[in-house]
Amino acid sequence: MDAGSTSSADRFMKGVQIPAVSGMREDTTDRGRLRMSGKDDPLPHNLGLKLRHMRMLHNLSLKQLAQKVGCSESMLSKVETGKVNPTLTMLRKLVDALGINIAFLFQAAEDADTVVHRAGERPLIGLGRSRSGVGIMLERLPPIARQHLLEANIHIVNPGGSTDGAFSHVGEEMGFVLEGTITLVVERVEYRLGVGDSFAFRSEKAHEYRNDGAEVARILWVNTPPTF
């Protein structure tokens, strides 16, 4: 993130404090694991609100930002008003165009000295749709802090959920499949991954993934630098 975009994000965060996922239910089992919520759950309106405020800080019209990310004005308007969840690929393009990263969309900065983050208390963002509801949930692991060199999330992918296209960015990443199966595509080469499988690649390589299985998949995903 360059100095100008950081300044814009800071100005926004000082003026608006918004919870991580407004209206999004999270459910925990007796093992303390998050489960995907139902298809009738309300959408996370705060995500669209943050995107709209950042667009306004950059003096961009709906049409201008839509052209930058390759979507229609109508679709972008629905994302900003919480009527539609963006896919992961669309969200990646939006944050790139606005000079921020996905971590900024979770919530206000936490205490960087916090050591433990309990199950069910970490911030979530729902993205896209699948056959049974939200397509992908990103569960933020470490607190949001500028001095961190790593960014880590658990990607919770419903059956039929996907990034809806490939994207790339600066850095490198690795992951470990905790539950279920996913199909990872890197530079158009497909890899079928199951529980216990891991992966690593440069983030500049076009990549995407999907859950073709019948069960929810959970992947521990780590990026550096924290541009994702």
Side-chain angles (χ1 to χ4, degrees):
M1 188 186 304
D2 58 36
S5 60
T6 299
S7 176
S8 296
D10 287 346
R11 290 198 304 271
F12 169 68
M13 292 308 295
K14 288 178 181 178
V16 181
Q17 298 295 323
I18 308 173
V21 182
S22 173
M24 181 69 72
R25 274 205 319 265
E26 56 179 88
D27 187 17
T28 56
T29 68
D30 57 349
R31 293 170 59 189
R33 297 175 305 179
L34 288 164
R35 289 188 289 138
M36 299 294 286
S37 46
K39 64 182 179 181
D40 294 325
D41 282 352
L43 298 175
H45 294 281
N46 67 306
L47 184 148
L49 179 61
K50 288 185 175 183
L51 289 171
R52 182 169 69 250
H53 274 265
M54 289 306 301
R55 174 175 61 79
M56 294 172 68
L57 283 175
H58 283 76
N59 295 316
L60 291 171
S61 66
L62 273 172
K63 181 177 182 180
Q64 289 171 324
L65 183 56
Q67 289 176 339
K68 284 178 176 289
V69 302
C71 70
S72 66
E73 290 181 64
S74 174
M75 174 60 71
L76 182 56
S77 176
K78 289 177 181 179
V79 169
E80 289 190 349
T81 55
K83 295 178 181 178
V84 171
N85 274 348
T87 63
L88 185 54
T89 297
M90 182 181 182
L91 187 61
R92 176 74 249 180
K93 292 178 180 178
L94 283 168
V95 298
D96 285 347
L98 295 171
I100 57 176
N101 60 29
I102 292 178
F104 167 76
L105 300 173
F106 278 86
Q107 63 180 23
E110 304 172 41
D111 182 355
D113 294 327
T114 300
V115 175
V116 176
H117 301 85
R118 300 293 182 185
E121 297 178 357
R122 293 182 290 265
L124 299 167
I125 285 183
L127 303 168
R129 304 296 291 176
S130 71
R131 295 189 297 270
S132 55
V134 175
I136 298 171
M137 293 280 281
L138 298 182
E139 180 184 354
R140 178 78 179 179
L141 294 181
I144 300 169
R146 293 179 190 169
Q147 66 268 32
H148 288 172
L149 300 178
L150 294 176
E151 181 174 0
N153 299 286
I154 294 178
H155 291 222
I156 309 171
V157 192
N158 238 340
S162 76
T163 58
D164 193 30
F167 56 92
S168 60
H169 49 98
V170 175
E172 59 183 318
E173 51 200 275
M174 60 158 289
F176 181 88
V177 181
L178 301 170
E179 293 182 13
T181 60
I182 64 164
T183 299
L184 175 68
V185 184
V186 180
E187 297 284 83
R188 299 184 179 180
V189 178
E190 292 195 357
Y191 303 92
R192 181 76 169 177
L193 303 176
V195 175
D197 290 337
S198 63
F199 55 87
F201 54 87
R202 292 291 307 180
S203 304
E204 290 86 354
K205 295 182 177 181
H207 52 283
E208 60 185 300
Y209 65 82
R210 64 182 185 271
N211 182 354
D212 295 323
E215 302 294 332
V216 172
R218 299 171 75 250
I219 308 99
L220 172 62
W221 210 298
V222 180
N223 294 77
T224 187
T227 55
F228 188 76

